[in-house]
Amino acid sequence: MSDTTIAARLLDVMEQDILPLTEGGVGAGNKVFGAAILRKSDLSLVIAETNNELENPLWHGEVHTLKRFYELGEKPSTKDLIFLSTHEPCTMCMSAITWAGFDNFYYFFSHEDSRDAFAIPHDLKILKDVFGLEPGGYRRSNAFWNSFAIADLVETEGETTKADLKAQTARIKARYDALSTRYQSSKGDNDIPLN
């Protein structure tokens, strides 16, 4: 895996590990958000999970992943790990990532994507109404962690790799688009707060 770039590995984990779990979760009525934890040393997967708000409205993809991570017997130190979020984390999830001691997180879809492409505007509404922040108003680099948009990483790749990763990005977006349509058509059947 040493020749694999971080952008390529994160996209692979999204496509091969998180998306299948999310497809099952959306089939049950949960939202489209998921996350994974990888080792920094070799980019191997520690755990992947998805949203489980039907069980508990706090089990956003990131928080549910952290819950499952802490249920593992032996686990690496969070300082030795990468946190991958399919969508830019909401304020609750950012806080959970911070409290867990991660010094990073990577995300695929932005808050604006959650609002515009997924019709789930709550992250931006909470940023604005509770914290008085505009989209992107939080510090992406701070005393606790640095955050990275996977799309920005893809742009730093060589042309051949970049073209391959953009094709993979398009495949992932198409699958999420279908999941979003499925979730939106069935969300009235569940009792998740802030549908």
Side-chain angles (χ1 to χ4, degrees):
M1 204 175 303
S2 59
D3 292 340
T4 301
T5 67
I6 191 164
R9 178 63 179 144
L10 295 178
L11 290 175
D12 284 347
V13 169
M14 283 191 61
E15 190 169 34
Q16 298 164 14
D17 299 294
I18 300 171
L19 257 166
L21 295 169
T22 301
E23 287 166 342
V26 169
N30 289 293
K31 288 190 181 97
V32 297
F33 307 115
I37 297 171
L38 296 84
R39 288 176 181 81
K40 287 179 182 176
S41 61
D42 61 4
L43 302 180
S44 62
L45 181 66
V46 175
I47 194 163
E49 259 306 335
T50 192
N51 184 290
N52 194 11
E53 286 180 286
L54 289 175
E55 181 180 315
N56 180 330
L58 301 180
W59 294 159
H60 290 195
E62 299 90 339
V63 174
H64 193 238
T65 301
L66 288 168
K67 172 191 178 294
R68 296 294 309 266
F69 173 72
Y70 280 99
E71 291 171 350
L72 296 174
E74 283 190 40
K75 56 195 155 304
S77 167
T78 55
K79 294 294 181 195
D80 298 325
L81 301 172
I82 292 169
F83 197 94
L84 167 61
S85 182
T86 59
H87 294 69
E88 191 170 8
C90 72
T91 51
M92 177 182 74
C93 293
M94 274 190 235
S95 293
I97 291 165
T98 305
W99 281 105
F102 284 86
D103 61 10
N104 68 83
F105 67 82
Y106 294 77
Y107 62 91
F108 186 78
F109 293 106
S110 69
H111 285 153
E112 292 88 351
D113 291 330
S114 294
R115 177 193 63 205
D116 301 339
F118 294 92
I120 302 174
H122 314 301
D123 298 343
L124 290 178
K125 284 182 177 181
I126 291 169
L127 275 171
K128 178 71 173 171
D129 292 345
V130 176
F131 298 100
L133 297 174
E134 296 298 327
Y138 71 93
R139 291 186 181 99
R140 285 175 167 70
S141 194
N142 56 63
F144 299 100
W145 40 255
N146 294 300
S147 67
F148 308 92
I150 295 172
D152 293 342
L153 298 177
V154 168
E155 290 300 323
T156 67
E157 298 288 350
E159 288 308 311
T160 302
T161 302
K162 185 189 306 187
D164 292 343
L165 296 180
K166 285 189 174 194
Q168 186 176 20
T169 295
R171 281 195 317 269
I172 292 169
K173 285 183 176 183
R175 285 178 72 184
Y176 272 100
D177 185 51
L179 286 172
S180 178
T181 299
R182 188 172 175 193
Y183 171 73
Q184 291 298 327
S185 69
S186 68
K187 72 180 184 180
D189 300 334
N190 67 41
D191 62 356
I192 297 173
L194 299 179
N195 265 328

